[in-house]
Every structure is written in C-alpha cells, then in structure tokens.
Amino acid sequence: MNMPHNAFKAALKNPATQYGIWAGFATGYAAEIVATTGYDWMLIDGEHAPNTVPGVLAQLQAVAPYSTAPVVRAVTGDANLIKQLLDIGAQTLMIPMVETAEQAAALVRAMRYPPHGVRGVGGGLTRATRWDGVPDYLNTAHEQLCLIVQVESRIGVENVEAIAAIEGVDAVFIGPADLSIGLGHAGNPGHPDVQERIQHAVKATLAAGKACGILAPNEEDARRYQSWGCQFIAVAIDISLLRQSATATLARYRTPATEHAPSRTY
C-alpha cells in the first residue's frame, strides 16, 4: 500500500490560489456535505469547535473519498496531541498562536520521528500507517506531512521572519481576529494598523520561500489578501453560511427587528 498523497502540500508548490472553507460543526456528516461542494481544502477546527480526537477521525474518514483536502487545526501545539492527530491520519496540521522560532522548531520535531524529532511510534496501531500497510512509513512519513503555523499576535508578527525560516515549517497562516484584538483594535481587522501588520507578515513569509494563508470570508478582504500573495485563503465558514442563509430565508417572510451585516472579524 502506498503512502497517502498529501494533495494540499503539493498544491502549495503551485501558484494557483487554494480556496478553503472552515468546518466547525464537529460531525462527520456535516464535514462530508462540505467536502462535496468543491473547495480545495477544508479546516477541521479543533481549537474553537467542540472536536475531540475521535471526532476528528470521523471527519477525516468521512471526507476521504472527496477531492477537498482536510487540514486539522489542533487546540494546542502539545506534542502528545500532535502525535495522536498524526496517528489517526491527519497529514496537514495547523497550530495556533505560534510566537517564536523556538516554538516553530519544537512543532517540527513533534511532527517527525527520531533522530529528527520526538514523535512516538504507533506502528500497526495507527491509521496513518494503514495499520502497518505502508512500507517504510517511519522513514518517509515526513514527505507527505505539512505543518502550518499560525501567526496571530503582536509578538508572532514581530518574529515572523524567524518563524517562517524554520526548516520543516511549510506555511504560515495569519489570524486577523486575534491579531486585531492583540493590537488594540478588537473586532476591527480592517484597521490600518492591523492591515499593515498582516501585509508585513505576508511579505516576510513569502520572502522565506513559504506559502502564506489567511481566513477571509469577506470577498473584498479575500481579494486584497490574494493580491498581496496569500496562496491559500479560507473564504467561507460552514456555521456562518448556515446562519446567514437561515436568517435571510426567514427575513423574506418576517421583517426582522434588527438587521446585522455579516461580521468581518474572521
């Protein structure tokens, strides 16, 4: 049995923009629906959605037959959690709130087996090895694994050059919401100060030869970030799409007491 191919990692080497969607319902059924809609990638969110390791596994299994590539965001950069997520077959991990090159280097080690890292060996117990069906998995696993680090704080942006330069970091993902609140502009990622820091992070990442991504469900924001060089952009959130569609449908029959424009915070 061959090592499963990481289509997302391969796509980052091409100039075409990869459009993604956030999957926050934490169920395999909802994730599979999203996977049928044609997005290049989907983020299975373990940080802010109520996902457990078994729940992430169910979603990976549900979306496996489809072309949409799953990216799993862990709640933390803990090496033990990373080991579990890799063992259940996640090949692309996103780790939030990375602020230093030392953090980034530790994440790289967590993704790799000794002598280049600290990942424990699960062997025939793990879905990643297809239960010992993938030949030479221990020596080749890193070839299909992809590490995305999130830069989403003032300190992270200050250190973005050093973070992006770490060998084994495949991409940097910018979090506008956390960055905006960290810069004193809560709920306003469009503030000029925040936008300047975002553009700086994009330029620094590209200068290091790494791919840069961002979350931007608002079309104006997404197109601006694309013009700056962001290569993979999450342009939708499944939960937001459901809520917006549901409220818009009801509004056709019942005038709402108040109307709120969709948030541009995320």
Side-chain angles (χ1 to χ4, degrees):
M1 180 176 293
N2 294 328
M3 177 83 69
H5 175 66
N6 189 335
F8 179 81
K9 182 175 183 177
L12 293 184
K13 299 177 182 179
N14 300 320
T17 304
Q18 301 297 304
Y19 295 106
I21 182 169
W22 232 245
F25 282 111
T27 72
Y29 199 73
E32 185 172 12
I33 294 171
V34 171
T36 68
T37 59
Y39 286 84
D40 297 305
W41 60 281
M42 63 185 297
L43 192 286
I44 299 172
D45 192 359
E47 183 184 16
H48 292 298
N51 272 305
T52 61
V53 172
V56 172
L57 170 59
Q59 290 167 82
L60 291 173
Q61 292 171 322
V63 307
Y66 305 99
S67 62
T68 300
V71 176
V72 176
R73 179 162 73 167
V75 67
T76 176
D78 178 76
N80 292 315
L81 176 59
I82 288 174
K83 173 176 58 180
Q84 287 185 298
L85 293 173
L86 295 179
D87 281 353
I88 63 171
Q91 289 187 300
T92 301
L93 294 186
M94 182 185 293
I95 308 298
M97 204 58 73
V98 176
E99 296 187 319
T100 67
E102 290 75 16
Q103 271 184 280
L107 294 172
V108 173
R109 290 193 295 273
M111 298 275 288
R112 299 185 177 188
Y113 290 115
H116 306 294
V118 297
R119 180 183 174 187
V121 178
L125 290 173
T126 67
R127 179 173 180 263
T129 69
R130 295 306 184 263
W131 303 278
D132 248 358
V134 176
D136 204 27
Y137 179 86
L138 297 180
N139 291 314
T140 60
H142 66 280
E143 297 173 2
Q144 297 299 328
L145 297 183
C146 180
L147 172 62
I148 306 168
V149 297
Q150 275 194 260
V151 170
E152 48 186 343
S153 69
R154 181 191 298 271
I155 297 173
V157 173
E158 289 174 356
N159 293 323
V160 65
E161 291 90 348
I163 293 170
I166 295 296
E167 182 181 356
V169 168
D170 296 288
V172 171
F173 192 89
I174 300 166
D178 279 298
L179 181 57
S180 65
I181 197 169
L183 293 174
H185 304 292
N188 185 18
H191 190 281
D193 291 347
V194 183
Q195 289 293 295
E196 186 278 328
R197 292 285 79 191
I198 291 174
Q199 189 169 25
H200 169 76
V202 174
K203 289 181 177 178
T205 301
L206 298 180
K210 305 297 175 64
C212 190
I214 199 165
L215 173 59
N218 178 273
E219 182 178 355
E220 180 183 344
D221 294 337
R223 294 194 181 278
R224 181 172 63 258
Y225 298 142
Q226 182 184 30
S227 72
W228 289 354
C230 286
Q231 189 177 345
F232 61 109
I233 305 172
V235 295
I237 302 172
D238 60 356
I239 292 173
S240 300
L241 292 176
L242 173 62
R243 188 178 190 282
Q244 291 163 15
S245 180
T247 55
T249 298
L250 182 59
R252 292 202 294 267
Y253 304 98
R254 180 189 300 160
T255 303
T258 57
E259 294 186 11
H260 300 283
S263 173
R264 295 180 68 166
T265 301
Y266 295 101

